[in-house]
Amino acid sequence: MDGTEVEVKAVRNVGEGTIVLEIESPPEFDARPGQFLQVAGTVDGERVTRHYTLSSPDADGTFEITVGVDPEGDLSPWLAEREAGETVTVAGPFGRSYYEGESRVVLLAGGPGVGPVVGIGARALADGGDVTIVYRDDEPAHEGRLRELEADGATVLVTEGSLTESAAVRDVLSRADGQVFVYGFADFLSEAHEVLAATGHDPDDAKEENFG
Ligand SMILES: Cc1cc2nc3c(=O)[nH]c(=O)nc-3n(C[C@H](O)[C@H](O)[C@H](O)COP(=O)(O)OP(=O)(O)OC[C@H]3O[C@@H](n4cnc5c(N)ncnc54)[C@H](O)[C@@H]3O)c2cc1C
């Protein structure tokens, strides 16, 4: 992969098994919240690349990615071991499912999908928009940023169980309108489609990214 070697500025734990990497933005880097990058590292002598989605509201000077660390995985545990001053290689941005200044956003996140959701949520609130967040995780992350978004006016619902079985999720989504965004792994996307259809939204209109 071609790419640019950039400095890791900070690595922070933001929940059980979830980290944020703050990374120097490459020159001329114009990434929008919700777009993803290819990130490369050399793990045990082998080049490994994976995709990660922007989780900061912008990429001015630095940007952030939020990584759910899979202990059995190749790249995510390596990323979790990085320290400030070390480098990673990034290419991109890629993807078309990103925030484009919509005035009302409905953001659904599963697992590490919470990264782009907090990034878009912060950007939309800063733009004066209306923000609804529904986040499913057994061990929720980004508690601090979610609390800040709520204090700034977002509707935030965190649930540990199935979206489709939660009356609270149905209630929040029934009352929300605007551009829907969905981020997470394939099983979460299926569940999100089901609950969106049941609450008056057309899943085909959602902007979404499937993490695999
Ligand atoms: C567009 C896009 C955006 C994404 N954005 C994010 C993001 O913002 N945050 C995030 O955390 N993730 C994101 N992902 C997922 C990310 O790219 C990685 O897939 C994830 O971090 C796991 O990578 P890994 O190298 O740690 O694990 P991998 O080495 O890919 O392994 C993942 C799991 O699969 C198992 N496995 C691997 N090979 C086999 C095999 N042959 N047979 C059986 N099991 C196997 C491993 O044991 C492990 O449990 C995104 C993915 C895509 C496509």
Side-chain angles (χ1 to χ4, degrees):
M1 145 189 128
D2 285 340
T4 309
E5 196 174 343
V6 285
E7 192 175 314
V8 174
K9 295 291 185 185
V11 184
R12 291 187 287 273
N13 281 311
V14 291
E16 190 65 36
T18 307
I19 55 155
V20 162
L21 274 91
E22 183 186 342
I23 299 170
E24 169 194 9
S25 294
E28 317 278 319
F29 187 63
D30 182 22
R32 315 281 179 83
Q35 282 193 299
F36 62 90
L37 309 158
Q38 196 168 43
V39 179
T42 304
V43 184
D44 297 333
E46 291 208 8
R47 190 84 161 161
V48 181
T49 63
R50 297 284 185 269
H51 293 117
Y52 294 98
T53 313
L54 203 76
S55 63
S56 45
D58 59 52
D60 301 340
T62 62
F63 68 92
E64 291 180 358
I65 56 173
T66 296
V67 179
V69 180
D70 182 337
E72 306 297 318
D74 287 334
L75 195 65
S76 58
W78 182 87
L79 288 171
E81 287 167 7
R82 294 310 93 203
E83 290 180 2
E86 295 182 325
T87 59
V88 293
T89 302
V90 301
F94 305 107
R96 289 194 290 269
S97 297
Y98 55 86
Y99 171 68
E100 294 175 278
E102 293 92 342
S103 59
R104 302 177 75 81
V105 297
V106 183
L107 307 168
L108 276 64
V114 68
V117 159
V118 295
I120 294 174
R123 181 71 173 266
L125 285 177
D127 290 348
D130 183 87
V131 175
T132 299
I133 293 174
V134 173
Y135 166 37
R136 191 201 84 187
D137 202 324
D138 296 345
E139 293 175 314
H142 272 310
E143 203 183 319
R145 281 179 71 181
L146 289 165
R147 224 183 283 129
E148 279 173 25
L149 292 171
E150 197 167 26
D152 288 344
T155 299
V156 178
L157 179 62
V158 180
T159 178
E160 294 184 13
S162 152
L163 293 186
T164 49
E165 288 167 19
S166 165
V169 169
R170 284 170 177 262
D171 181 48
V172 164
L173 290 178
S174 298
R175 285 186 283 114
D177 67 359
Q179 175 63 52
V180 175
F181 294 77
V182 187
Y183 295 96
F185 288 96
D187 58 339
F188 177 75
L189 264 56
S190 306
E191 198 179 309
H193 289 180
E194 200 178 320
V195 77
L196 284 168
T199 51
H201 301 272
D202 184 348
D204 292 340
D205 292 339
K207 294 185 181 182
E208 61 182 32
E209 211 58 74
N210 184 345
F211 287 5

